[in-house]
Amino acid sequence: MTLTAPPRLTHPLDPEDEAALRRIVRDVEDGFNRNDPALLSAHIAEDAVIGTARGTWATGRAAIDEANQAVLTGFLRDATAYYEFSDAVALAPDVAVAQKRAWSTRDAADAGEPPEMIALYVFVRRDGRWWIARRQNTLVA
């Protein structure tokens, strides 16, 4: 068996695409901080799958909307978040992934505290715009 170098599977994003993905994550942050479930879900595809803050899966836009409403009126109603977007790359011309780190406040991030959560987003471009197809939030112990 001959060993070969593994393929390079990611490519830099076009600056306009990266800016669009950053705006989407900023809308998610703003939706959370404003307790606005419509903004929180605005960029989620109809067939998306989201790992929720409760450690469950929400599949499809209706279930995701319901989960967002539940957390914004329930146990995270008074919570705030500050997100740092990073590591956005293209996997294919219309598929991208990105990561975010999250803290309860910007002050916590600026103070150098470790993130309280990390997340992986999978975006798909359809009809000229980007959509969240998958998102997995992971709380940091």
Side-chain angles (χ1 to χ4, degrees), residues 4-140:
T4 60
R8 183 165 180 83
L9 299 177
T10 63
H11 307 280
L13 276 170
D14 181 276
E16 293 85 27
D17 289 330
E18 182 171 338
L21 301 184
R22 286 179 180 278
R23 281 191 301 274
I24 289 170
V25 173
R26 190 170 40 252
D27 281 350
V28 171
E29 178 182 8
D30 289 346
F32 182 81
N33 287 331
R34 295 177 191 166
N35 282 11
D36 181 344
L39 183 56
L40 190 58
S41 294
H43 304 283
I44 294 175
E46 184 62 37
D47 59 345
V49 178
I50 302 293
T52 72
R54 290 199 179 275
T56 62
W57 295 107
T59 302
R61 180 64 183 267
I64 294 164
D65 288 346
E66 184 178 312
N68 285 342
Q69 181 70 35
V71 299
L72 292 178
T73 60
F75 78 104
L76 292 176
R77 139 182 95 251
D78 298 321
T80 60
Y82 170 72
Y83 297 162
E84 276 188 5
F85 180 93
S86 66
D87 300 320
V89 295
L91 299 177
D94 292 325
V95 179
V97 295
Q99 296 170 308
K100 79 174 179 200
R101 298 186 305 161
W103 294 260
S104 296
T105 65
R106 184 181 190 124
D107 289 343
D110 289 346
E113 294 180 21
E116 298 164 40
M117 180 188 71
I118 58 173
L120 178 68
Y121 284 74
V122 177
F123 299 95
V124 177
R125 182 176 24 216
R126 292 292 182 266
D127 299 322
R129 80 175 303 273
W130 289 98
W131 295 92
I132 299 169
R134 300 289 189 272
R135 184 182 75 219
Q136 173 62 50
N137 295 319
T138 303
L139 295 176
V140 177

